[in-house]
């Protein structure tokens, strides 16, 4: 059991939770994740640790309520308890001084990009942050990202805030203005990461992505999270979650993420009917 | 009238185990055998000859090979507990077993007795051996159902702290033994409940999880503490446990939890599972139960690749999850199948089909990326390989396709690398196993012991428990002997 110390809705359907997990807070490094289980009957959900505070012993996770399990987790109240929190899992991001690093975060992926951008900056890199979302309301962690980057560019697909367009367009302009980019990070929905990788590959910029396949134990025991990278099968939970984006088999990832789509859709409906949203929320 | 001479024990048939009807049980997750009634248990126990030098405990020398075989890996006083059952003293019988085995209800169900105690039973030499496993199960179940489980007296506290990593059979044995000897024991488990392979691997119908839970409660009554969701190697290293958290010794029982795959095309299609994933979804996450959220593929036609106990468990689980047709695909012949005969028999009775001397070479997918078939090759047996079994050789041009919508790969597991990777001074073998003294479990690192599948590679519950027993003995010596030698 782990206490939810603070909970805030930071964008529509987007929850930020600070959870008391002192041992994990002390140990975690950028890029690592935890697995959470809301209640005894719940699924195990992997979520990247966005922030942590070793002094107060809390870790922060940010997630979107998109299906049954994330809705269930998101409905847990501040002061309440998460049944299980396991971590830190996965390999930490490889941090070193590369030179100029561009961190591209799309939507909820910004929560994953933030700790990596911060660690990259601390290692002496010049960090350019590119943050995008569909619309203004869905932009998250603006202040935190600003603090973690030397320069920040914001875009929305509908032009309601910042640059009108996709993050790839912003990245393309950044490349075009002649900055020498030594490393790119792309974290967000698969189509976005894929588009970023297509672009950076053309420009010969090494690109790291953080993958989120379906997982159960997160310790290398089941192989449910297998992905194909450079033609080799990897377990995302122990070999990742970060990989060379130019080597990832995206079609396979998309396909495997859809494995339980029908069951998930049904579960979400059942949950909605059984747990109508409180009016005050 | 002349008295008819009493029948010799081997002339009396062994008591049959009452079981759920195969047709019915193939569609539910309830336990298959019901267990002996007290009358049956007494009748079976009376067949025991009470050997003075019991080979069921100590094993016997094989005259041909000169090697010792059979016997009980944890040295339960079998004749003593069997004689207590014969006298109707069931709770006393269970306590007798508990002197040597803290998991009797588990072992009575999943030990391969036919390779151990029952293999060398004297009665068995002339007829059917005493059903030692069933009697062990009976005593443990009787004790639990009749509120008889009470912790035996413990040694006074030694002031020493021990960390046990992994709550599988090896870890639980070490924890129980060391707690009895007065040490403070903390078990760290990566998953959200205890039991290791007993909860994620072995299905409910073979080992009800309630039994595992009760065995863990028993250990808690001995003072053993459990911390779940604790991934040692990630959250803390062994060095941190010893230097910062004050543990005087550590036992590593992290098992062989990393699944092997076939390495053939199509293996990442949807509907292809490692047996570990399939069983974890069903057993640990209870995907078969409507009340639980974790999904699992409800296959119509499932193929299970492999011939061990795990393959049988996966095949029988697939049936229970509603599959119309489940096929075991195994590259050797029936004689080489590593599964227990009883498991093969149970699977067959339930309608699992066996496609032997068959090797998958490719998994085929449909336009949605879901499995639709598996291409196989027929095999024939050639010369024996390094395992002593005849090597399967492909028959040229024998390719054929079977129609399936799920493939479960049950070809074995390798040791979990988390601890070896994060403990620099721990010596590791070629296959990722931790190198440990077979008699003491001592590793290359002072104060650190290991046992079970992480040392031997995937083996059995009872062998892991035997290793745990030996390690506990050595650790006690280390902890009370000034912690100088290993």
């Amino acid at each position: 059991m782990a206490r939810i110390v603070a909970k805030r809705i930071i964008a529509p359907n987007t929850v930020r939770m600070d959870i008391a997990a002192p041992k994990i807070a002390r140990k975690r490094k950028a890029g690592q994740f935890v697995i959470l289980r809301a209640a005894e009957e719940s699924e195990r959900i992997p979520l990247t640790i966005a922030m942590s505070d070793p002094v107060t012993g809390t870790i922060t996770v940010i997630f979107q309520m998109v299906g049954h399990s994330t809705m269930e987790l998101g409905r847990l109240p501040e002061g309440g308890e998460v049944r299980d929190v396991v971590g830190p899992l996965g390999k930490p991001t490889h941090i070193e001084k590369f030179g100029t690093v561009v961190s591209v975060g799309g939507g909820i992926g910004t929560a994953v990009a933030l700790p990596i951008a911060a660690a990259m900056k601390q290692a002496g890199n010049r960090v350019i942050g590119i943050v995008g979302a569909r619309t203004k309301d869905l932009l998250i962690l603006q202040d935190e990202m600003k603090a973690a980057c030397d320069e920040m560019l914001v875009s929305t697909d509908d032009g309601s805030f910042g640059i009108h367009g996709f993050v790839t367009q912003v990245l393309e302009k950044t490349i075009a203005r002649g900055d020498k980019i030594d490393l790119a990070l792309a974290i967000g929905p698969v189509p976005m990461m894929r588009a970023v990788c297509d672009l950076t590959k053309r420009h010969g910029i090494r690109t790291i992505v953080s993958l989120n396949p379906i997982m159960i134990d997160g310790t290398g025991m089941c192989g449910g999270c297998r992905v194909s990278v450079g033609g080799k099968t990897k377990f995302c939970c122990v070999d990742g979650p970060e990989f060379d984006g130019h080597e990832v088999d995206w079609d396979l990832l998309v396909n495997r993420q859809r494995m339980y789509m029908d069951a998930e859709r049904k579960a979400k409906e059942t949950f909605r009917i059984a747990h109508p949203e409180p009016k005050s929320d | 009238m002349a008295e008819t001479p009493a029948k010799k024990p081997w002339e009396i048939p062994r008591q049959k185990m009452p079981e759920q009807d195969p047709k019915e049980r193939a569609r539910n997750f309830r336990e298959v055998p019901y267990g002996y009634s007290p009358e049956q248990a007494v009748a079976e126990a009376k067949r025991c000859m009470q050997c003075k030098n019991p080979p069921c405990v100590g094993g016997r020398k094989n005259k041909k090979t000169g090697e010792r075989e059979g016997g009980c890996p944890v040295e339960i006083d079998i004749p003593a507990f069997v004689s207590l059952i014969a006298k109707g003293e069931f709770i006393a019988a269970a306590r007798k077993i508990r002197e040597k085995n803290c998991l009797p209800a588990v072992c009575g169900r999943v030990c391969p007795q036919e390779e151990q105690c029952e293999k060398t039973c004297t009665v068995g030499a002339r007829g059917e051996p005493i059903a030692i496993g069933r009697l062990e199960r009976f005593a443990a179940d009787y004790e639990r159902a009749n509120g008889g489980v009470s912790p035996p007296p413990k040694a006074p506290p030694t002031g020493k702290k021990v960390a046990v990593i992994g709550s599988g059979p090896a870890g639980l044995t070490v924890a129980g033994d060391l707690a009895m000897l007065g040490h403070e024991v903390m078990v760290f488990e990566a998953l959200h409940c205890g039991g290791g392979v007993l909860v994620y691997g072995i299905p409910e119908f073979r080992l009800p999880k309630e039994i595992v839970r009760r065995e863990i409660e028993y250990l808690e009554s001995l003072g053993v503490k459990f911390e779940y969701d604790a991934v040692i190697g990630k959250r803390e290293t062994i060095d941190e446990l010893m230097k910062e958290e004050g543990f005087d010794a550590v036992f590593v029982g992290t098992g062989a939890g990393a699944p092997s795959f076939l390495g053939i095309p199509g293996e990442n299609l949807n509907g292809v599972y490692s047996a570990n994933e399939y069983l974890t979804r069903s057993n640990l996450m209870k995907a078969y139960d409507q009340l639980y959220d974790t999904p699992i593929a409800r296959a119509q036609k499932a193929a299970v690749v492999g011939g061990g106990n795990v393959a049988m468990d996966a095949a029988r689980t697939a049936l229970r999850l509603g599959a119309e047709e489940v096929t075991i695909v195994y590259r050797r012949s029936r004689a080489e199948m590593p599964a227990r005969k009883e498991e093969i028999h149970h699977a067959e009775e339930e309608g699992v089909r066996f496609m032997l001397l068959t090797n998958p070479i490719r998994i085929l997918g449909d336009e949605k990326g879901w499995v639709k078939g598996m291409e196989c090759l027929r095999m024939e047996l050639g010369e024996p390989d390094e395992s002593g079994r005849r090597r399967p050789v492909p028959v040229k041009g024998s390719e054929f396709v079977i129609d399936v919508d799920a493939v479960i790969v049950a070809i074995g597991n390798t040791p979990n690398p988390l601890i070896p990777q994060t403990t620099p001074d721990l010596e590791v073998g070629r296959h990722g196993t931790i190198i440990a003294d077979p008699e003491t479990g001592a590793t290359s690192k002072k104060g650190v012991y290991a046992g079970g599948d992480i040392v031997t590679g995937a083996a059995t519950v009872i062998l892991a428990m035997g290793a745990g027993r030996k390690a506990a003995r050595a650790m006690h010596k280390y902890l009370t002997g000034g912690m100088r030698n290993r």
Side-chain angles (χ1 to χ4, degrees):
Chain A
M1 294 283 201
R3 230 173 99 80
I4 301 166
V5 179
K7 179 191 152 185
R8 268 196 303 140
I9 306 287
I10 57 167
N13 281 324
T14 307
V15 180
R16 175 192 158 142
M17 255 183 197
D18 297 344
I19 300 168
K23 287 179 176 175
I24 301 174
R26 207 179 313 143
K27 202 63 184 260
R28 60 73 57 159
K29 290 200 172 89
Q32 289 188 299
F33 65 96
V34 281
I35 284 188
L36 304 160
R37 208 164 64 118
E40 175 55 33
E41 297 78 18
S42 310
E43 280 187 270
R44 294 166 67 97
I45 313 171
L47 290 174
T48 300
I49 305 167
M51 288 168 261
S52 67
D53 186 339
V55 179
T56 57
T58 56
I59 57 165
T60 302
V61 290
I62 294 170
F63 59 96
Q64 237 171 347
M65 297 190 282
V66 286
H68 171 141
S69 295
T70 42
M71 284 201 273
E72 189 186 24
L73 184 67
R75 296 276 183 93
L76 293 175
E78 185 170 296
E81 275 175 333
V82 183
R83 178 77 178 69
D84 297 283
V85 181
V86 196
L89 299 169
K91 285 189 179 155
T93 310
H94 175 75
I95 303 286
E96 65 170 70
K97 191 173 173 186
F98 295 98
T100 299
V101 176
V102 176
S103 163
V104 189
I108 198 79
T110 309
V112 182
L114 171 67
I116 305 170
M120 286 292 183
K121 187 174 176 185
Q122 211 182 3
N125 290 289
R126 185 167 86 92
V127 179
I128 304 170
I130 299 176
V131 174
R134 252 188 310 119
T135 185
K136 186 185 169 194
D137 289 352
L138 295 172
L139 285 167
I140 56 167
L141 301 169
Q142 295 294 292
D143 296 341
E144 289 88 344
M145 269 309 268
K146 229 174 253 166
C149 300
D150 295 282
E151 182 186 355
M152 188 161 95
L153 303 160
V154 183
S155 73
T156 49
D157 301 357
D158 65 358
S160 53
F161 189 85
I163 305 159
H164 189 166
F166 298 120
V167 285
T168 36
Q169 293 169 303
V170 181
L171 177 60
E172 194 147 28
K173 277 186 193 146
T174 312
I175 297 168
R177 78 183 182 198
D179 288 29
K180 185 185 169 289
I181 298 166
D182 300 288
L183 182 77
L185 301 158
I187 300 147
V190 169
M192 181 223 109
M193 291 195 281
R194 196 174 191 166
V196 169
C197 288
D198 286 345
L199 176 64
T200 53
K201 201 169 185 178
R202 284 203 301 274
H203 292 277
I205 302 166
R206 215 181 123 219
T207 305
I208 302 296
V209 293
S210 179
L211 305 183
N212 55 340
I214 294 171
M215 247 178 223
I216 311 180
D217 63 289
T219 63
M221 199 185 85
C222 80
C225 63
R226 53 198 194 277
V227 291
S228 178
V229 182
K232 287 202 178 88
T233 294
K234 302 273 177 189
F235 290 4
C236 189
C237 67
V238 287
D239 300 324
E242 289 167 18
F243 295 101
D244 180 342
H246 296 159
E247 301 281 331
V248 171
D249 181 339
W250 297 103
D251 289 331
L252 180 74
L253 178 68
V254 169
N255 193 51
R256 287 189 64 81
Q257 282 177 331
R258 286 191 187 141
M259 186 148 166
Y260 300 103
M261 221 162 52
D262 290 345
E264 279 162 10
R265 203 178 297 131
K266 270 183 222 148
K268 184 177 172 179
E269 274 320 299
T270 320
F271 184 83
R272 271 197 180 144
I273 294 162
H275 308 269
E277 216 163 324
K279 287 215 173 72
S280 58
D281 222 358
Chain B
M1 200 168 74
E3 251 179 68
T4 40
K7 274 193 179 169
K8 298 276 191 272
W10 52 86
E11 291 165 359
I12 307 167
R14 175 172 156 129
Q15 289 288 316
K16 281 215 162 54
M17 186 76 139
E19 284 178 352
Q20 263 198 79
D21 175 72
K23 275 219 180 78
E24 195 187 312
R25 76 181 190 230
R27 298 293 167 194
N28 70 55
F29 276 86
R30 292 194 300 276
E31 194 175 10
V32 169
Y34 294 117
Y36 278 161
S37 67
E39 294 73 29
Q40 281 183 298
V42 170
E44 182 63 26
K46 282 184 171 161
R47 294 176 64 227
C48 175
M49 290 171 69
Q50 294 291 317
C51 306
K52 285 248 159 53
N53 207 345
C56 57
V57 182
R60 194 173 43 209
K61 208 169 178 182
N62 184 318
K63 280 178 194 143
K64 279 185 208 146
T65 63
E67 272 173 42
R68 261 201 119 61
E69 60 175 26
C72 176
V74 295
E75 301 149 23
I76 294 171
D77 189 345
I78 295 167
F81 97 77
V82 173
S83 119
L84 286 164
I85 292 179
K87 287 184 217 150
E89 294 176 32
F90 304 140
I91 288 183
R95 294 209 173 131
K96 183 49 89 189
I97 304 171
R98 273 191 199 281
E99 285 174 12
K100 290 294 170 78
N101 180 349
C102 59
L103 306 170
V106 172
C107 289
R109 287 169 166 83
V110 303
C111 267
Q113 287 99 9
E114 66 280 1
E115 296 294 328
Q116 297 166 356
C117 51
E118 294 178 16
K119 183 177 192 170
T120 40
C121 169
T122 311
V123 176
R126 294 185 154 192
E128 288 179 296
I130 308 296
I132 299 167
R134 294 170 185 181
L135 290 174
E136 180 183 26
R137 171 189 161 150
F138 168 79
D141 286 357
Y142 185 92
E143 180 194 36
R144 195 175 60 249
N146 293 280
V149 185
S150 63
K154 260 172 53 174
T158 59
K160 300 288 182 205
K161 261 175 82 176
V162 179
V164 172
I165 306 171
S167 68
L172 292 180
T173 304
V174 170
D177 284 7
L178 290 180
M180 288 290 294
L181 292 163
H183 305 292
E184 194 184 320
V185 182
M186 172 69 102
V187 180
F188 294 96
E189 167 57 50
L191 294 172
H192 54 253
C193 68
V197 73
L198 307 175
V199 291
Y200 76 74
I202 303 177
E204 180 76 14
F205 55 83
R206 209 147 74 74
L207 176 64
K209 301 310 146 214
E210 173 64 13
I211 285 171
V212 181
R213 198 179 61 81
R214 296 285 286 268
E215 302 275 34
I216 285 172
E217 275 176 17
Y218 172 75
L219 291 179
E220 284 173 336
S221 77
L222 294 178
V224 176
K225 292 200 169 59
F226 288 83
E227 188 180 340
Y228 299 110
D229 299 327
V231 185
I232 305 301
K234 283 283 178 188
R235 205 189 63 181
E236 293 106 328
T237 60
I238 287 184
D239 283 322
E240 284 164 340
L241 289 176
M242 299 182 86
K243 283 181 193 143
E244 291 166 28
E245 300 190 26
F247 287 99
D248 299 295
V250 174
F251 177 80
V252 183
T254 47
S260 302
F261 283 92
L262 293 156
I264 60 174
E267 213 164 10
N268 292 334
L269 285 163
N270 286 349
V272 183
Y273 289 100
S274 73
N276 263 10
E277 178 182 0
Y278 194 70
L279 292 171
T280 298
R281 284 182 178 272
S282 182
N283 301 330
L284 176 74
M285 305 310 294
K286 303 201 190 301
Y288 66 85
D289 186 336
Q290 295 255 312
L291 291 173
Y292 287 74
D293 299 337
T294 301
I296 193 164
R298 300 277 177 160
Q300 292 304 302
K301 290 182 177 179
V304 179
V305 182
N309 288 325
V310 175
M312 301 305 139
D313 284 346
R316 296 171 71 195
T317 297
L319 275 182
R320 284 160 175 78
L321 287 168
E324 278 159 24
E325 209 175 277
V326 179
T327 311
I328 294 262
V329 176
Y330 181 55
R331 61 196 185 123
R332 303 181 197 243
S333 78
R334 181 170 294 248
E336 289 85 24
M337 274 188 146
R340 290 181 70 189
K341 283 204 179 68
E342 186 185 314
E343 303 306 330
I344 298 172
H345 171 70
H346 273 144
E348 241 171 358
E349 267 188 341
E350 289 168 11
V352 172
R353 302 192 323 168
F354 287 78
M355 204 175 263
L356 304 171
L357 289 166
T358 304
N359 201 27
I361 51 171
R362 188 157 66 106
I363 301 171
L364 311 164
D366 64 14
E367 67 286 351
K368 285 182 168 169
W370 197 278
V371 175
K372 67 166 186 185
M374 185 163 78
E375 188 175 349
C376 304
L377 266 181
R378 296 253 178 248
M379 309 293 275
E380 57 191 8
L381 293 180
E383 293 301 307
D385 61 13
E386 63 276 12
S387 76
R389 298 177 299 178
R390 292 176 64 191
R391 186 193 297 276
V393 187
V395 177
K396 262 206 178 135
S398 65
E399 290 88 350
F400 65 103
V401 172
I402 57 171
D403 189 17
V404 288
D405 60 352
V407 173
I408 302 152
V409 181
I411 56 165
N413 293 300
T414 53
N416 194 312
L418 267 184
I419 297 285
Q421 274 171 4
T422 53
T423 318
D425 41 354
L426 201 60
E427 215 183 309
V428 177
R430 243 186 338 131
H431 301 287
T433 50
I434 295 177
I435 295 175
D437 182 324
E439 285 313 307
T440 64
T443 67
S444 56
K445 191 173 167 68
K446 186 169 179 273
V448 178
Y449 295 74
D453 285 1
I454 188 70
V455 171
T456 57
T460 63
V461 168
I462 192 71
L463 284 176
M465 292 179 62
R469 158 90 4 96
K470 285 178 181 168
R473 216 178 276 156
M475 289 171 84
H476 177 63
K477 216 166 145 191
Y478 170 76
L479 290 164
T480 54
M483 312 206 299
R484 268 188 297 272
N485 43 13
R486 289 201 220 107

